[in-house]
Amino acid sequence: MSDKATGDFMGALRRAVANVHLYPTGHPQGEVALDMLAETTATLVDAEDSVVLSLMDNAFYLDRDLLPQASLEYRDLYHVLRGHGLDSITIMSGATLGDLAELAGFLAEDGSDIPADGTIRLNERPYNRSELIKQASLSEIRHSYATSLDFLNGVAESMTEDDGADITAAVWTVEQLLEKVLLQPGASLLLSTLKTHDEYTFYHSINTCMLAVTVGQAIGLDNDQLVQLGVGALLHDLGKIRVPIEVIQYPGRLDDAMWKEIQRHPHEGAQAILAGSGEGQEIAALVALEHHARFDLAGYPTVGRRERLHLYSRITSICDVYDALTTRRSYKRALPPATALKIIVENAGSQLDPDLVQVFVSILGIFPAGSLLRLDTGDIAVVLVAGQDGETMQAAIAVTAAGEHLSAPEPFQLTVDRVRDLVLPDEVGLDPASLVESPHLNLT
Ligand SMILES: [Fe+2]
């Protein structure tokens, strides 16, 4: 099933439901929407006996396939369906325009009902949770991601009222994230390394946290340590809330006064964390204080004579730099993941801890998931799963040498020696995130 067909169907369903309120039965506009719904349904049901739209954990599934794009795009429709107590809608071949009009009417609450033995069946739930869950990893992590964002927004608000950060809530947030990260490290790495949003301190904090706990896990930290590391990484840039937004987002070269303002954020963050409630704030405060101090201690602020930065600060620094480099901002393009890794490697031993850099590169692979690569054939491939051996990776051709965009690419094993060049998404009009999340590509 193509992405476009499922997207068109969801869009048509939403429009048909909205139009029930807007136009009386038989109005041409309402009829157009229903025609569209019938047409898109026919495309889906074509060659099948039936299709099942399931709802679970804020995500849509068509048959067994998670619909990542539609789950984000049609959140309002998800809530409408849930509001009617629906877990699934089964549409059988032979569903007529009249049947679909009844469905739209029922969802729009115009008083109509759906016959129990018709071509459209509600809540038959042919797929159980465990059949769908295999595909759910990304959507579950997205859900935790959204919860973390809510938490950070709450912290930001409380800090403007001069309260400290709520460490207990931070621990809870990280535990939620951690559960998902430990369960599906591949999927969480994917989410934190694929960028579809503009730079925003809070997104950056969550990405840094997810990357940091993945590194922590790789070097053998236990669960309590991972939570401490995660809290430090999540709150590392908290002090930026107290730096004027015009300075944070200033697009040009900073003058001395602005630079001084920026350099205040590690201190501000550490103070806010120490002023907050909850246990374990000392380490989180240390991470906030040290994350720009550099491995060679030549950064800011000066951290005294201690030999080394805290391990969690050194991990957070690497993840902070990587996420900043790969994130698009209003005044700079995002670097491809592989280019960002190259910069990380160049700074190993000076700005960053070389041993941890090695761990970081081995986790992400030389070409991380989402990298776009021009091959020896001229085709452009997207990396789906980075190889841990430095030689091979799972990839799919997204654009052929002739310039044709492939809508349903087939995964294959790609060897590093076939890579000629890195390609920026904007150059070829591709969104690596949606390619990697494409339901055609079986990543598990
Ligand atoms: Fe920072």
Side-chain angles (χ1 to χ4, degrees), residues 19-218:
N19 281 359
V20 172
H21 289 302
L22 292 173
Y23 307 107
T25 311
H27 189 284
Q29 282 296 335
E31 296 296 306
V32 168
L34 282 173
D35 282 344
M36 280 291 293
L37 181 58
E39 207 176 291
T40 54
T41 305
T43 310
L44 286 189
V45 184
D46 188 33
E48 318 265 340
D49 287 338
S50 63
V51 289
V52 181
L53 184 71
S54 298
L55 293 85
M56 187 177 83
D57 297 341
N58 287 313
F60 285 113
Y61 296 77
L62 197 73
D63 293 332
R64 285 190 183 80
D65 292 331
L66 170 69
L67 304 176
Q69 205 63 40
S71 300
L72 291 173
E73 206 173 329
Y74 298 106
R75 287 180 76 87
D76 52 347
L77 186 61
Y78 183 94
H79 292 302
V80 168
L81 300 184
R82 275 292 193 217
H84 285 78
L86 295 183
D87 292 310
S88 73
I89 301 175
T90 305
I91 304 178
M92 301 163 89
S93 67
T96 63
L97 197 109
D99 298 335
L100 293 162
E102 277 177 347
L103 174 65
F106 168 72
L107 295 174
E109 287 173 306
D110 72 344
S112 63
D113 227 336
I114 305 261
D117 53 354
T119 55
I120 297 176
R121 312 275 175 91
L122 304 181
N123 285 348
E124 284 198 340
R125 300 185 193 99
Y127 301 115
N128 62 32
R129 192 175 177 84
S130 63
E131 282 176 287
L132 299 176
I133 199 96
K134 193 166 167 271
Q135 287 273 338
S137 51
L138 266 177
S139 73
E140 287 204 349
I141 292 170
R142 271 194 199 289
H143 184 69
S144 296
Y145 198 99
T147 311
S148 311
L149 208 54
D150 281 349
F151 158 72
L152 284 173
N153 275 313
V155 171
E157 272 169 31
S158 71
M159 277 184 66
T160 53
E161 290 153 19
D162 254 10
D163 286 344
D166 183 351
I167 300 295
T168 312
V171 167
W172 182 84
T173 304
V174 172
E175 280 171 348
Q176 300 302 305
L177 266 181
L178 205 57
E179 208 177 286
K180 306 297 187 302
V181 171
L182 295 182
L183 214 62
Q184 280 287 337
S188 58
L189 262 187
L190 203 63
L191 197 61
S192 58
T193 59
L194 291 176
K195 304 294 158 46
T196 53
H197 51 73
D198 285 313
E199 195 272 343
Y200 188 45
T201 300
F202 298 156
Y203 286 113
H204 170 62
S205 301
I206 299 168
N207 290 338
T208 306
C209 172
M210 285 168 65
L211 288 168
V213 294
T214 310
V215 173
Q217 195 191 9

Side-chain angles (χ1 to χ4, degrees), residues 204 236-237 240 265-266 291-292 300 320:
H204 170 62
H236 78 279
D237 254 351
K240 280 195 177 167
H265 84 270
H291 76 278
H292 288 294
Y300 67 89
D320 176 25

Side-chain angles (χ1 to χ4, degrees), residues 14 18 28 49 71 77 105 161 197 238 278-279 293 314 371 411 413 419 427:
R14 178 164 69 180
D49 287 338
S71 300
L77 186 61
E161 290 153 19
H197 51 73
L238 203 61
E279 279 176 31
R314 283 178 277 139
S371 298
Q413 283 297 113
V419 177
E427 278 175 44

Side-chain angles (χ1 to χ4, degrees), residues 94-404:
T96 63
L97 197 109
D99 298 335
L100 293 162
E102 277 177 347
L103 174 65
F106 168 72
L107 295 174
E109 287 173 306
D110 72 344
S112 63
D113 227 336
I114 305 261
D117 53 354
T119 55
I120 297 176
R121 312 275 175 91
L122 304 181
N123 285 348
E124 284 198 340
R125 300 185 193 99
Y127 301 115
N128 62 32
R129 192 175 177 84
S130 63
E131 282 176 287
L132 299 176
I133 199 96
K134 193 166 167 271
Q135 287 273 338
S137 51
L138 266 177
S139 73
E140 287 204 349
I141 292 170
R142 271 194 199 289
H143 184 69
S144 296
Y145 198 99
T147 311
S148 311
L149 208 54
D150 281 349
F151 158 72
L152 284 173
N153 275 313
V155 171
E157 272 169 31
S158 71
M159 277 184 66
T160 53
E161 290 153 19
D162 254 10
D163 286 344
D166 183 351
I167 300 295
T168 312
V171 167
W172 182 84
T173 304
V174 172
E175 280 171 348
Q176 300 302 305
L177 266 181
L178 205 57
E179 208 177 286
K180 306 297 187 302
V181 171
L182 295 182
L183 214 62
Q184 280 287 337
S188 58
L189 262 187
L190 203 63
L191 197 61
S192 58
T193 59
L194 291 176
K195 304 294 158 46
T196 53
H197 51 73
D198 285 313
E199 195 272 343
Y200 188 45
T201 300
F202 298 156
Y203 286 113
H204 170 62
S205 301
I206 299 168
N207 290 338
T208 306
C209 172
M210 285 168 65
L211 288 168
V213 294
T214 310
V215 173
Q217 195 191 9
I219 62 170
L221 299 186
D222 66 27
N223 204 61
D224 290 347
Q225 292 169 320
L226 287 175
V227 171
Q228 284 188 325
L229 165 64
V231 170
L234 188 69
L235 300 180
H236 78 279
D237 254 351
L238 203 61
K240 280 195 177 167
I241 293 165
R242 295 206 172 141
V243 177
I245 191 81
E246 311 81 66
V247 177
I248 299 281
Q249 293 181 344
Y250 191 74
R253 214 184 148 77
L254 299 177
D255 63 25
D256 280 356
M258 287 176 170
W259 187 231
K260 274 214 171 76
E261 286 281 336
I262 288 276
Q263 287 186 325
R264 276 179 34 225
H265 84 270
H267 254 126
E268 292 282 356
Q271 270 173 3
I273 293 169
L274 285 175
S277 58
E279 279 176 31
Q281 70 263 56
E282 291 86 359
I283 292 178
L286 199 58
V287 171
L289 186 70
E290 293 184 338
H291 76 278
H292 288 294
R294 295 176 54 114
F295 180 69
D296 57 12
L297 304 184
Y300 67 89
T302 311
V303 292
R305 290 223 193 110
R306 252 184 326 108
E307 216 172 86
R308 284 189 138 190
L309 304 179
H310 194 282
L311 171 66
Y312 302 168
S313 307
R314 283 178 277 139
I315 294 173
T316 301
S317 296
I318 295 172
C319 304
D320 176 25
V321 170
Y322 177 80
D323 190 67
L325 290 174
T326 52
T327 300
R328 181 175 67 231
R329 299 188 202 200
S330 54
Y331 52 90
K332 90 169 179 50
R333 294 170 100 179
L335 290 181
T339 309
L341 268 190
K342 194 164 162 274
I343 293 172
I344 298 266
V345 170
E346 283 165 2
N347 284 285
S350 53
Q351 184 184 355
L352 305 168
D353 182 325
D355 295 333
L356 289 172
V357 165
Q358 216 166 34
V359 174
F360 191 76
V361 174
S362 74
I363 291 171
L364 289 188
I366 298 171
F367 297 110
S371 298
L372 292 174
L373 309 173
R374 186 171 281 112
L375 307 184
D376 47 4
T377 51
D379 297 330
I380 293 169
V382 59
V383 178
L384 304 173
V385 181
Q388 301 297 315
D389 56 3
E391 293 294 324
T392 57
M393 61 207 110
Q394 208 181 337
I397 304 290
V399 185
T400 66
E404 188 196 348

